């Protein structure tokens, strides 16, 4: 038995209508994704290029695929053709490569810039200085084949809810600052199974939820 459909429905009922739910299907079989799809879910997230490339052709073409994991430059070419939104853009060389690959496919690719808000050393993301630099170049028209749709962040993995809330609030303030200048800014991607209610309370409008939908992951 699985409760994938029920889990999705429960989450959808508990979040505001304008919050996009990305179902994070990493490590889960195509059959599970199909169940979620049949239940009406259309946004799915994966964190590994190889896995995304394997699954995409086996599933309905109208799925909106989100790349949420750390992305190496030399792998952008494998997902450029079909990916809907890349969340995890955290350096300028990657921005350039995405722009280049999008141009090859004669399209514009949607990205989010990942900002480091967590206190853990291991978490990825750029700082505000680099963010400002990339936005400035973007405004100058240096990356004509990308569209920056907003920001993404991951909070510290801690039971301290106040710390998590503070980290999300910090990112929300940054997002709001840029949203006033960029009409295309529309996504603030923050919140996972363990912290999405706190994320939404602090301004998130795109949550990435895996285990609360598909169950715990088995990495064996
Ligand atoms: C795996 C993952 C998620 C989902 O995590 P859960 O705790 O299973 O909801 C969200 N965001 C990123 C970047 C991930 O890698």
């Amino acid at each position: 038995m699985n409760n994938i459909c029920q889990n999705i429905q429960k989450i959808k009922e508990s979040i505001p209508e304008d919050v996009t739910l990305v179902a994070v299907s990493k490590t889960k079989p195509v059959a599970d994704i199909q169940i979620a799809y049949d239940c009406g879910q259309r946004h799915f997230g994966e964190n590994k290029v190889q896995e995304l490339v394997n699954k995409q052709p086996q599933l309905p073409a109208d799925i909106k695929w989100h790349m949420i994991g750390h992305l190496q430059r030399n792998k952008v070419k494998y997902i450029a053709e079909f990916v809907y939104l890349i969340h995890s853009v955290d350096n300028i060389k990657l921005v350039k490569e995405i722009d280049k690959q999008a141009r090859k496919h004669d399209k514009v690719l949607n990205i989010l810039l990942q900002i480091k808000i967590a206190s853990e050393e291991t978490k990825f993301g750029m700082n505000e200085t680099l963010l400002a630099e990339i936005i400035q170049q973007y405004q100058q028209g240096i990356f004509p084949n990308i569209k920056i749709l907003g920001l993404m962040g991951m909070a510290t993995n801690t039971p301290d809810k106040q710390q998590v809330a503070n980290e999300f609030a910090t990112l929300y303030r940054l997002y709001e600052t840029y949203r006033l200048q960029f009409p295309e800014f529309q996504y603030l991607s923050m919140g996972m199974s363990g912290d999405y209610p706190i994320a939404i309370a602090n301004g998130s409008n795109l949550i990435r939820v895996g285990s609360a939908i598909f169950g715990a992951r088995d990495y064996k």
Side-chain angles (χ1 to χ4, degrees):
M1 269 300 284
N2 73 65
N3 303 310
I4 292 170
C5 197
Q6 266 176 289
N7 292 341
I8 288 173
Q9 280 162 355
K10 259 195 221 151
I11 294 168
K12 284 212 165 145
E13 279 163 20
S14 76
I15 63 177
E17 237 175 87
D18 60 350
V19 173
T20 300
L21 170 64
V22 174
V24 177
S25 46
K26 63 190 189 197
T27 79
K28 297 296 176 180
V30 165
D32 285 5
I33 302 175
Q34 186 67 51
I35 291 170
Y37 179 91
D38 293 340
C39 186
Q41 181 65 29
R42 290 295 178 271
H43 292 265
F44 291 89
E46 290 283 341
N47 73 333
K48 291 209 164 74
V49 167
Q50 187 60 56
E51 197 173 338
L52 180 52
V53 165
N54 285 344
K55 287 173 174 174
Q56 187 267 341
Q58 302 183 58
L59 285 153
D62 64 341
I63 285 182
K64 290 190 163 76
W65 289 104
H66 295 247
M67 177 61 200
I68 63 171
H70 189 63
L71 179 58
Q72 285 173 303
R73 255 181 297 153
N74 60 359
K75 293 190 175 162
V76 175
K77 56 177 177 283
Y78 302 116
I79 59 171
E81 201 185 333
F82 66 86
V83 75
Y84 168 66
L85 180 63
I86 303 173
H87 293 227
S88 40
V89 181
D90 66 353
N91 65 83
I92 200 150
K93 285 179 171 173
L94 182 56
V95 173
K96 285 180 186 160
E97 178 63 16
I98 295 169
D99 181 60
K100 181 178 143 191
Q101 293 300 331
R103 190 145 50 249
K104 272 194 191 168
H105 290 275
D106 198 23
K107 65 189 290 188
V108 174
L109 274 173
N110 300 326
I111 69 166
L112 304 180
L113 297 175
Q114 182 173 358
I115 312 299
K116 184 166 158 53
I117 52 172
S119 56
E120 295 127 320
E121 280 300 316
T122 50
K123 291 241 162 88
F124 292 103
M126 64 180 76
N127 59 28
E128 291 184 31
T129 311
L130 182 54
L131 170 65
E133 216 172 284
I134 291 174
I135 296 267
Q136 193 188 11
Q137 295 191 22
Y138 177 63
Q139 273 177 310
Q140 291 165 352
I142 293 175
F143 313 118
N145 289 73
I146 62 165
K147 205 167 177 186
I148 302 178
L149 294 188
L151 304 178
M152 182 270 219
M154 290 172 88
T156 303
N157 186 8
T158 168
D160 183 349
K161 290 190 162 64
Q162 192 54 53
Q163 183 184 347
V164 171
N166 290 345
E167 290 171 357
F168 286 145
T170 300
L171 187 53
Y172 176 68
R173 280 193 295 274
L174 195 58
Y175 172 74
E176 280 297 293
T177 308
Y178 283 104
R179 197 175 61 84
L180 296 172
Q181 305 169 44
F182 295 101
E184 67 262 40
F185 255 53
Q186 54 188 273
Y187 287 133
L188 177 57
S189 168
M190 48 186 207
M192 329 198 324
S193 293
D195 58 17
Y196 73 83
I198 305 175
I200 292 171
N202 286 281
S204 170
N205 63 13
L206 202 175
I207 57 174
R208 310 175 309 270
V209 179
S211 45
I213 292 175
F214 296 106
R217 285 177 295 272
D218 184 357
Y219 284 104
K220 266 180 273 165

